[in-house]
Amino acid sequence: MSNDIFASAADAILKGDSDKAVEAAQKGLGEGIDPVILINEGFIPGINTVGDLFGSGRLFLPELILSANAMQNATDVINAAIPDGQGQSRGRFIIGTVEGDVHDIGKTIVVSLLKANGFEVMDLGRDVSTDRFIEEADKFNADIIGTSALLTTTMEGQRRLEVELKKAGLKERFKTMVGGAPVTQRWAKRIGADAFAENASAAVKLAKALLEPA
């Protein structure tokens, strides 16, 4: 029976159906399925498929947002059933658009998918200074700092963060990920960022990889 619930959960996420996702979560919990297993076996495969389809251009932004919302609603139900201190967190991710840049649609999608995949995320919004990235990452005890730049003129903010982290002796403490329309793997390598994410699903996969034990 649990396999049927896992299949229903994944299908609800794939279809972006919040009501069905919540129903599957409640049914699974009602049948005594461990909350963590319910997330890992049912909902995570669904959101991973959504991320893959979006990354390959077979699923579009409106569907992605519906699926991410369905995932969020289902995980809210499941997390409420997990005793304090037993919830699973894949890691802590702080994200924002660099100083001078006010674009944030892509970043918002990344935030949704990261949350749907079990990351604790702090979204600093747009036009974020280097000092604020470092200060908030320290307070949030972040594992990864993600920066988005949508203009070639603001990409310098990503380099400045790497420089300031090194100066402060914090480069080893925080992993860094860069993204945005003009940003490339070459740029990430040049400035010393740990990863470059081309899209939201890539950001999730890379975040998981960055935090895997060596």
Side-chain angles (χ1 to χ4, degrees):
M1 190 63 190
S2 57
N3 284 341
D4 291 345
I5 291 170
F6 297 154
S8 298
D11 187 57
I13 298 304
L14 204 50
K15 289 177 177 164
D17 189 329
S18 277
D19 290 342
K20 287 267 168 62
V22 167
E23 193 180 299
Q26 289 168 336
K27 192 172 179 187
L29 292 170
E31 294 200 5
I33 298 173
D34 181 279
V36 174
I37 291 172
L38 185 54
I39 288 178
N40 287 341
E41 300 292 323
F43 291 98
I44 293 286
I47 201 70
N48 284 346
T49 302
V50 167
D52 290 340
L53 290 171
F54 181 72
S56 63
R58 286 177 289 163
L59 186 131
F60 302 101
L61 183 56
E63 291 99 325
L64 177 74
I65 290 169
L66 284 174
S67 290
N69 287 341
M71 183 75 183
Q72 189 65 56
N73 290 335
T75 49
D76 283 348
V77 169
I78 295 168
N79 285 338
I82 300 173
D84 284 348
Q86 288 181 29
Q88 274 194 323
S89 168
R90 285 189 177 270
R92 297 166 78 83
F93 198 114
I94 199 161
I95 190 168
T97 306
V98 294
E99 194 164 17
D101 205 319
V102 294
H103 300 78
D104 70 352
I105 291 175
K107 174 183 64 60
T108 303
I109 300 163
V110 173
V111 169
S112 295
L113 272 194
L114 283 167
K115 283 183 176 177
N117 277 273
F119 285 88
E120 293 176 68
V121 185
M122 176 183 276
D123 183 358
L124 297 180
R126 305 174 289 185
D127 193 18
V128 183
S129 70
T130 302
D131 287 348
R132 184 157 176 244
F133 270 117
I134 296 171
E135 187 183 312
E136 296 293 347
D138 180 47
K139 282 197 282 194
F140 187 57
N141 199 21
D143 297 300
I144 301 172
I145 302 174
T147 56
S148 174
L150 277 295
L151 304 166
T152 50
T153 50
T154 58
M155 284 166 63
E156 187 57 35
Q158 294 177 325
R159 186 212 297 270
R160 199 156 49 240
L161 177 65
E162 298 295 334
V163 169
E164 292 304 322
L165 284 172
K166 279 181 193 141
K167 259 194 218 171
L170 294 170
K171 183 60 188 155
E172 296 306 310
R173 181 176 165 193
F174 305 117
K175 299 286 186 189
T176 54
M177 188 185 295
V178 295
V183 180
T184 61
Q185 179 65 54
R186 190 175 170 193
W187 170 251
K189 192 174 177 185
R190 192 166 135 203
I191 65 174
D194 293 296
F196 156 68
E198 195 171 10
N199 54 47
S201 57
V204 172
K205 283 179 186 167
L206 286 164
K208 289 176 185 173
L210 283 175
L211 300 183
E212 275 175 7

